Amino acid sequence: MDQDAVRLLVKVTQEGDFSQLLKLFQSCGPSACQLVHLGRSGDSLLHHAARHGRLDFLHFLIGDVGMELEVCNLDYKRPLHEAASMGHTACVSYLLRRGARVDCLKKADWNLDLIQELIQHSADPLLKNKDGWNAFHIACREGDPGVVRYLLTAAPDVWRTESKTRRTPLHTAAMHGCEEVVQILLERCGYTPDAKDSCGVTPFMDAARNGHVSVARLLLAKHQASPTAADTLGAQTVHHVAVTGQEEALHFLVRELNVDVNQRATGMQLTALHYAAKEGHVSTIKTLLDLGANIHAQDKKRRTALHMASIGQHADAVRTLLQLGLDDSQDASGITARQHAKKPHIMHLFD
């Protein structure tokens, strides 16, 4: 079967021209029934029909032509995955009735009707993917309260899960700012306050460093979260927030919770100002100084924020710190901030 005919078959399937599909199958003969991996993605006609919600095409290709409904493309996705990921409930129902194997992990953007359909056909919400995520992790990331409640009703222990990096669904919901989902998890699940992932990050840290202050407030009020818990490197939430440049969260921590803006991470004794300078967040540097950060603070190697800005090759941060009066000094190894700068236009700022 020539490539022009194949491309035309794909086109009419995508566009939903069923009468044209029938004519093409009649003209192409039995060879059309053998079409499996088409194009670089390896999609079959079933994949295209399922992805575009062409229920009549699925009926014809499976029921009349006899195509294999479990055919995989080059991404190991089957027609059921495509129908589910695009929210085509009728196509999902048909494929399941025809005996398609249920797999609830391939896509995250399913609606409640699809979730219910899959669960009713014995989908296992506890099944994990290669990263250790189950369907509940994914639902908490997407933030649909209805789906989260349904999964907790259908499988009450579904929340008792961690990814391979020990991240819980509560971490996931907090990180993505899904406040209503976080509320449900705190009410219905038994998560330990300040549970840490493999890097020592807590849900409170995740919420704050991603700028979700309302979620951080909720974790503080309803889950006894600690604003001063430290990760495996000794960095606290104030340091994480400085890295991501979340200034509202900085005000929340320092002004409302009285977190010490000059608190040092226990490893290298870095302050929030060091972290902000290394990332080149000029506005955050100024915010930290307004909140009382010590511009002359040195880390374990006697490096100042100016050293860190130079190490990060951030010209604007270097310029700002010099203008604020921070002198170029030697660290414990006798290296100045200017010497850390590798780019000529940054080195010239010290002249």
Side-chain angles (χ1 to χ4, degrees), residues 38-50:
L38 311 176
R40 287 180 294 182
S41 65
D43 289 331
S44 68
L45 288 181
L46 283 179
H47 285 88
H48 289 288

Side-chain angles (χ1 to χ4, degrees), residues 308-329:
M308 305 307 288
S310 293
I311 291 170
Q313 309 301 309
H314 299 299
D316 289 341
V318 168
R319 182 184 296 107
T320 297
L321 290 165
L322 287 170
Q323 290 172 346
L324 291 169
L326 194 53
D327 295 328
D328 188 15
S329 59

